[in-house]
Amino acid sequence: MNDTVCAEVFHSMKDLPAQNISFTEFRLNGFYSLGEWRPFLFIPFFLMFLLAITANSILIYLIKTQKSLHSPMYVLIGVMAVLDLIMPIFFVPNMLLSFLFSWSEISLTGCLIQMFGIHFVGAFQITLLFWMALDRYFAICKPLHYHKYMEIPNFLKFVFAPVIRNGFLIVTMVSLAGKLSFCVTNVIDHCFCEHMALVQLACGDISVNNIVGLMSAFLIATMDCILITISYVVMFISVLKSGKAHMKALHTCITHLIVLSVSLISALTAFLSYRIRNNISSNIRIFTSILYLFFPSCLHPLIYGWRTKEIRQTFLKFINNAQVFPFKKI
């Protein structure tokens, strides 16, 4: 009788191993369906990574060293370049190693750190675009009081609330993900640790994680994009009423809105694709995630740097001096 009871207990424990195991090591297998073609992804993403690192580093150097670029607008562009420099460092090197050598393992701690970095920096990229829109709004609609509004004590009023909001939502989202037990599988169908890519592997109820993730997406990205759009609409109306007086200040606004719209649509598509079961392939879902995280780091230096006349002229002068300097006598 005792042997029979022991055998039943053993078999019952054997049938439920997943419920008693929580994975702490994961494998990122994004784009694995491409098979032998997957390593070739290294080439375009490596070139994009070099572009992002080089272009943003040059932009930061120019704004830091040239006193003529120390006005509020250029300082905000410099901060954007810093964020665009940091963002790809969080996940692109691991992604490139995975493509080239199939080094796809990552610990739970490493996954959570990567998740926090990606979403935290990504949230501030969107919020910084709102601050830059405020700068343009004050320059176009309140030109006589521009310097007053853009003084640090006054501008900080527009900084505190978004900073607290972003920090609270992202920390809450990552903390809740870290408390889950992962027993479904240790294979993450992604190239990096995006929130829902990890959370969907958890045992039990993840409704709270879903709610917090959606709140983060809509209260940060969507809300800031709405505020940016409103500010640009007001600016356009002001320019139309005043003629061509402020057309120079509005020079890149349309490009900003296009890039912002692409980033927002791709971000919301990536977020909702995990929650709405449909026929979207994993490759498309992963690509949309890369689109809203990685592409801005490559495009922002061109949009906010090269298309800004003063920065472009400073860069060309820097290049000319760099070419002449080696031939000067010491």
Side-chain angles (χ1 to χ4, degrees), residues 66-262:
Q66 302 299 317
K67 292 183 179 180
S68 61
L69 300 179
H70 288 181
S71 64
M73 180 182 71
Y74 301 121
V75 171
L76 289 173
I77 292 175
V79 175
M80 175 63 76
V82 172
L83 294 178
D84 288 334
L85 182 65
I86 294 173
M87 172 61 86
I89 293 175
F90 274 113
F91 68 95
V92 175
N94 286 351
M95 187 171 71
L96 294 177
L97 291 174
S98 176
F99 291 154
L100 201 59
F101 303 110
S102 295
W103 295 351
S104 305
E105 289 73 22
I106 188 170
S107 66
L108 176 60
T109 301
C111 193
L112 293 173
I113 291 173
Q114 188 181 72
M115 183 194 304
F116 175 81
I118 289 172
H119 290 290
F120 189 75
V121 175
F124 274 96
Q125 283 179 321
I126 298 293
T127 301
L128 186 59
L129 290 175
F130 166 63
W131 294 335
M132 294 172 73
L134 276 180
D135 172 82
R136 294 297 83 203
Y137 170 79
F138 293 140
I140 293 172
C141 300
K142 308 285 183 180
L144 298 178
H145 304 284
Y146 172 75
H147 292 289
K148 176 184 176 182
Y149 283 117
M150 293 306 296
E151 288 178 353
I152 292 178
N154 291 329
F155 193 71
L156 285 177
K157 298 176 184 178
F158 302 100
V159 172
F160 283 130
V163 168
I164 294 172
R165 176 202 62 186
N166 293 2
F168 175 76
L169 288 172
I170 301 303
V171 169
T172 301
M173 184 177 70
V174 176
S175 298
L176 289 173
K179 293 179 179 179
L180 295 172
S181 295
F182 302 95
C183 61
V184 177
T185 179
N186 69 335
V187 177
I188 300 176
D189 188 18
H190 215 303
C191 292
F192 47 86
C193 287
E194 199 174 39
H195 176 246
M196 282 307 300
L198 176 67
V199 168
Q200 69 175 357
L201 305 182
C203 318
D205 185 22
I206 58 171
S207 57
V208 175
N209 302 83
N210 275 319
I211 292 171
V212 174
L214 286 172
M215 286 178 60
S216 299
F218 285 100
L219 292 181
I220 297 176
T222 307
M223 180 181 292
D224 285 352
C225 286
I226 290 173
L227 293 175
I228 292 169
T229 303
I230 292 173
S231 65
Y232 278 149
V233 169
V234 174
M235 282 187 273
F236 279 123
I237 294 173
S238 176
V239 168
L240 290 175
K241 288 182 178 180
S242 62
K244 297 183 179 180
H246 300 297
M247 196 60 69
K248 179 183 177 181
L250 208 60
H251 177 61
T252 58
C253 285
I254 294 177
T255 311
H256 296 178
L257 285 175
I258 292 173
V259 174
L260 187 65
S261 299
V262 171

